[in-house]
Amino acid sequence: MEHTSTLEKVLRGTAITLVILFFMFPIFWIFLMSFQTNETILRVPPSIVFDPTLSNYTALITGKLDTAAGTLEISFMKNLWNSLFLSAASVAVGLVLGVPAAYAFARLKFRGSEDIAFTLLSFRFAPPLLVLLPLTIYFQQIGLADTYLGLIWVYQLIVLPLILWIVRGYFEDIPADVEYAYRIAGHSWGATFRKIALPLAGPGIAAAGLLAFIFAWNNFVFALVLASADKQPVTVGALAFVTASGIQYGQVAAGIVLSILPTFALALYAQRYLVEGLSLGAVKG
Amino acid sequence: MSDATMNQKPRRGFRVSRGALPYLLSLPALLTCIGILVPFFTAVAYSLQRYRLSQPWARKWNWGENYLNFLSDPAFWNTLKVSLTYAFLTVGIELLLGLGIALLLQKRTRFNNFVSIMLLMPLMTAPALASLMWKLMTNPGFGILSYFASLIGLHDFRWASDPSTAMLTVVLVDIWVYTPFIMILLLAGLRSLPQQPFEAAALDGVPRLFVFWRITLPMLTPFLLTATLFRVIESIQQFDIIYAMTQGGPGDKLTVFQVEAYLNFFQSTNVGRSAALLMILWAITYILSNIFIKNWLRLRERQRGEA
C-alpha cells in the first residue's frame, strides 16, 4: 500500500470523480432546475448560468399555479403534510407495537418465538401487491377505504418488521445479568423493562424509528393503490402533479426537492445507524 | 432451539413471566400482521377463480386454469423474461460497481467517509421520485442527458420512450438508487475483516491482485451473498421505478410481475390472472427469502461472536 505509483493515484482519482459525478449529478441538476423558469430550462444547449428565481417554490407553497390557461389550484403542500403525518403516525404505532414484541423475542424465549419472528420478517419480502389488491376490496367493505387509519395499518407491513428486528438485536446486546440484578432487588418485571432495558436500548430504538420513517416516507405502492388524491403522500402526489401541471418543469423539480429534503436531512443526522439498519443488523460496522 | 437456550441459561428471575407475558407482549404486533394475512389467503382464492371485475356474474372457481393458461400465454413468458432480465442486469451491475466503489473507499480517511455518506443520498431518494428526476433529465425536448447523448452523436436518443432503450433507462435508475446499498454493505464487510492475513501477505510481498482473488474475495463472500440475495428479492419485485417511469411501456417492454399484475387488476380488471401472477412471484421470492434469512442469520451470529 505504501508504494503507490503516480499512475495508480491518477486512476483512483479519476474513478472516484466519475463515481461522485454519476451519483451526485442528478440531485445537483434537479436542484438547479428548481430555481429556473421554463424559459431557461428549455434552452438549447442547456447551461448552468441563469437568474435564480424562487417562483416555483412560492407557487407550490401558496398552492397557486400560474399557467398560460389561467391559475391552477395545486395541493402539493397537502401531499407533503400527508407524507409527514402518515410516516410519523406509522412509526409511532410501529414502536408501540414493535418494541414490547422485540423485547419478548430477545429476552423471554418462548415456544414458537423464532417461528413467529420469522413469519413477521418474511412479510418484508413478500410482493406488496399480493395483499394490497385484495385489501382494496376488503377496505371498501369495512369502511377503511381511503382513510388515514387504513393506510397507517398497511404501513405496518414495512415499519413493523424493521423495528422488530433492529430493536431485538439491541435488546439481545444488553447483558441479561444487569436486568437480573435489578429484579433480584425486588423490582417488578415492568419496572425492569422501563428503567433498565428501554434506556439501554434507546439508541437502537431511535435508529429503528428514523429508518422506519424514511422507508415509510419513500413508499409509493401502498398509497398508489389505497389512497385517493387528498390522502396521497408526495411520492404518489408528485407523479400526479407531473400530469396536472403539464409543462411546468421548474415546479416539478421544486416539488421533488421538497420531497427528498426531509429524508436527506434524517439520513445525514442518523448516518451511523443507517448501515446497520439497512442490512437489518446483519453487519455491525 | 429456544428450549435449548432456556436450559443453558436458566434465568430464575423471569420464571413468573414465562407463561402468558411474552405472548401478551408480542400479540398486538402479531394481530396487526394477521390482519394482513387474511388478504393473502384471499389472493390465493382469487388466483383459483375466473374473476373479472367487469363481469361479476361470470365469477366461478376454475381451479388451476389461470395457471395452466400461463403455459401457452406469450404475455406471461414476456413478463417472466422481462422480470428476470431486469433483476439480472440491475443486481449484476450493482454488485460489480458496489464492490469497486467499496474497494476504492476502503481506507478510513476523512475524505472516504465523506464520499460514502454523500453516496447515501440516492439511496435515501424514494425510487418513484428518482424515476421522476431521471424523467426530467431524459426528456427529449430539454433533458440534459438527451443533450449529452446528442453530443456523442446519438441524435434523437429517446431513452424510456424507445422500446429498444427503455430497459436500459430503468436499469440505470435502479443502479443509481441501489448501488450505494451494496457499496455500504460491502464497505462495512471489508472494514470488519481481520487484518492479519493482509499484513502477512504484505510482508511476503504477495502481488495485490493475488491478495484480492485469494484473500479479500473469499473472506467477503458471505457479505456478497447477503447483498446479492437481498437485492435479487427486491429487484424481481420492482414496481416503483418502472411504474413511475413508463407504467410498463412502451408496449409490453417493461411489464414486470408487479406492473403486469397491477395493470391486469386495474385496467383489464382480470382479478384472477392478476392474483395468479402475484402468487408465482410470491413463490419465487419465498424460496429466495428463506435462503436469504438463513444465510443472513449465520452472518449475524458470526459478527456477534467476533464483536
Side-chain angles (χ1 to χ4, degrees), chain A residues 8 12 15-16 19-20 22-27 29-30 33 41-42 45-46 97 100-101 104 107-111 116 118 120-121 123-131 133-138 153 156-157 160 165 169 172-173 176 179-180 183 189 214 218 220-221 224-225 235 238-239 242 249 256 259-260 263-264 267-268 271 274-275 278-283, chain B residues 2-3 6 11-14 21-23 25-26 28-30 32-33 35-37 39-40 42-43 46 101 104-105 111 115 117-126 128-129 132-134 136-137 139 142 144 147 175-176 179-181 184-185 188 208 223 230 233-234 237 239-240 243-244 258 262 265-266 274 278-279 281-282 285 289 292-293 296-297 300 303-304:
Chain A
E8 198 192 311
R12 268 176 175 269
I16 294 253
V19 166
I20 294 175
F22 174 72
F23 287 102
M24 289 303 114
F25 181 76
I27 297 169
W29 193 252
I30 298 299
M33 210 183 241
I41 290 172
L42 294 170
L97 295 174
R107 268 289 174 273
L108 321 158
K109 302 277 184 200
F110 54 101
R111 193 169 292 280
I116 297 172
F118 274 125
L120 288 175
L121 184 62
F123 282 124
R124 197 195 169 309
F125 299 113
L129 282 179
L130 187 65
V131 289
L133 297 184
L135 260 189
T136 56
I137 297 170
Y138 278 125
W153 184 23
Q156 296 309 313
L157 269 184
L160 209 50
W165 277 83
E172 276 171 351
D173 283 349
E179 288 174 43
Y180 184 48
R183 294 259 313 173
W189 171 87
I214 294 174
N218 286 349
F220 172 71
V221 68
L224 177 78
V225 173
T235 42
L239 202 67
V242 172
Y249 300 112
I256 293 175
S259 318
I260 59 183
T263 48
F264 282 6
L268 282 183
Q271 27 120 343
L274 275 177
V275 181
L278 287 171
S279 53
L280 277 166
V283 185
Chain B
S2 52
D3 287 4
M6 275 206 300
R11 295 190 204 99
R12 279 182 297 128
F14 287 129
L21 187 63
Y23 294 101
L25 284 176
S26 52
L30 227 78
T32 313
C33 289
I36 309 284
L37 266 182
F40 172 80
T42 315
Y46 286 169
I101 301 171
L104 275 174
L105 301 176
F111 175 75
V115 174
I117 290 166
M118 238 173 34
L119 292 188
L120 280 176
M121 284 159 82
L123 188 59
M124 290 302 119
T125 308
L129 294 173
L132 274 190
M133 292 168 71
W134 283 76
L136 286 177
M137 294 196 303
N139 185 296
F142 62 88
I144 181 79
Y147 174 71
I175 290 170
W176 185 75
T179 303
F181 172 77
I184 291 275
L185 212 70
R208 276 163 55 194
F223 295 93
F230 196 89
I233 295 169
E234 289 199 329
Q237 303 185 43
F239 177 83
D240 301 12
Y243 186 82
Q258 290 218 91
Y262 181 88
F265 190 93
F266 287 105
S274 175
L278 289 168
M279 287 308 297
L281 178 62
W282 174 77
T285 53
S289 63
F292 166 76
I293 292 174
W296 165 68
L297 275 188
R300 192 164 173 262
Q303 293 293 110
R304 273 172 196 283

Side-chain angles (χ1 to χ4, degrees), chain B residues 66-84 252 255-257 260-261 264 273-281 284:
Chain B
N66 292 329
Y67 295 96
L68 269 177
N69 287 344
F70 284 148
L71 291 176
S72 57
D73 179 359
F76 170 76
W77 294 107
N78 178 59
T79 290
L80 189 67
K81 193 190 86 188
V82 174
S83 301
L84 291 179
D252 61 357
T255 47
V256 292
F257 271 108
E260 175 81 351
N264 271 196
R273 183 174 194 270
S274 175
L277 269 175
L278 289 168
M279 287 308 297
I280 289 176
L281 178 62
I284 298 173

